[in-house]
Amino acid sequence: MKSVFSKILMCLGACCMLALTACNSDDDGPNTGGQRYFIDIVTYEAGSEQGTTFTFRKDGDSQLITLTTTQRLDPAFKVGSRLVIQYWPHSNERFVSGPVSVIQVLHTAGDGAELPEKTAEQTSNWRSNPIKMQSIGRSGNYLNFIFTGAMGNRNINPSACVDAATVDSDYPVIHIIYGPDDSFTDKEYMFFGSYSIAALWERPSCKGLMVYFKNETGTDARVQLDKVGSSIKPGN
């Protein structure tokens, strides 16, 4: 897991990996072997001389999970941003609040910002390179997605936007766009994205979201996220 994630980090182009510093020599906790490492998209909740706090939800409106570490993030990371972390929970259990040791950290595409509104004309009718979607779903205020895509000598950046014509509809339409770029090869890398959907989700007219992307064959694929009476908990 550690070596695979390191390769992912090195290949994310515009996504920035920066070092952590420890506040004391016991930062990593007991090194007894058998540690289990995980990768999650989290919110950078707080940082100080004493360490760092991250929060996230497993999915939907599930319980808020709080991870703490005595490590400090580089100042280039801003509180409130959405990050990908590889970490070892000292409990060796995932989705449980508690102390962790962070191995790697990087920005997500979107960084937790609100989805921008765009039109088909602005995006050449949502033109995108094909991708292999690994996972997509809502985590509190955020739409998270993970996919693999081919990339050549030039970095190709992923992004997402909401179709401006659908903002007030029952199901606003979101497009995940990779590139476009004509220089990609058959070599694939993994990408992580996280955008705020709070403004859309809280609209009285919204019954859910429709998320589109180009699948491996270049045709439109979609995922429907239904509201079903759920509600976003502020700040999560």
Side-chain angles (χ1 to χ4, degrees):
M1 178 71 75
K2 292 171 67 177
S3 60
V4 170
F5 194 69
S6 296
K7 292 178 183 177
I8 292 170
L9 290 173
M10 289 188 291
C11 298
L12 278 176
C15 295
C16 181
M17 180 184 71
L18 296 172
L20 302 102
T21 57
C23 297
N24 60 62
S25 60
D26 295 325
D27 158 74
D28 284 339
N31 186 12
T32 58
Q35 293 95 332
R36 301 177 65 199
Y37 295 87
F38 302 101
I39 298 170
D40 280 303
I41 296 175
V42 301
T43 300
Y44 178 17
E45 196 69 38
S48 69
E49 291 299 314
Q50 285 68 49
T52 306
T53 302
F54 304 102
T55 61
F56 72 110
R57 297 183 188 276
K58 178 181 177 181
D59 51 42
D61 295 308
S62 60
Q63 182 178 3
L64 186 68
I65 298 160
T66 301
L67 307 179
T68 59
T69 177
T70 55
Q71 297 161 285
R72 293 172 296 175
L73 287 184
D74 187 287
F77 290 104
K78 303 303 180 184
V79 171
S81 61
R82 294 285 280 178
L83 307 175
V84 180
I85 61 171
Q86 182 200 22
Y87 64 100
W88 164 51
H90 295 183
S91 66
N92 257 357
E93 295 184 28
R94 194 178 186 184
F95 306 128
V96 174
S97 295
V100 301
S101 294
V102 179
I103 313 304
Q104 303 278 18
V105 58
L106 71 156
H107 290 287
T108 60
D111 219 18
E114 184 176 344
L115 280 166
E117 295 182 19
K118 293 190 178 181
T119 66
E121 290 75 17
Q122 289 175 308
T123 59
S124 300
N125 200 29
W126 319 113
R127 183 168 173 255
S128 172
N129 288 355
I131 62 175
K132 294 180 181 178
M133 188 63 69
Q134 305 297 319
S135 69
I136 184 169
R138 183 174 71 88
S139 173
N141 281 336
Y142 302 99
L143 173 71
N144 291 344
F145 55 86
I146 304 172
F147 68 82
T148 56
M151 184 169 64
N153 294 327
R154 292 199 300 266
N155 290 334
I156 307 176
N157 298 321
S159 63
C161 60
V162 58
D163 184 346
T166 70
V167 167
D168 293 316
S169 66
D170 289 349
Y171 282 83
V173 174
I174 296 170
H175 292 270
I176 295 174
I177 297 173
Y178 179 49
D181 190 289
D182 296 325
S183 68
F184 63 91
T185 68
D186 290 333
K187 193 170 184 179
E188 293 186 335
Y189 302 104
M190 188 168 287
F191 297 86
F192 301 81
S194 188
Y195 284 82
S196 173
I197 56 171
L200 290 175
W201 200 258
E202 289 302 312
R203 286 176 177 264
S205 59
C206 180
K207 295 181 180 179
L209 303 172
M210 200 72 71
V211 186
Y212 282 84
F213 56 92
K214 297 292 185 184
N215 64 20
E216 300 97 309
T217 65
T219 57
D220 285 331
R222 72 178 187 181
V223 173
Q224 182 171 315
L225 304 177
D226 292 305
K227 204 168 184 178
V228 197
S230 65
S231 63
I232 286 179
K233 298 174 176 60
N236 301 317

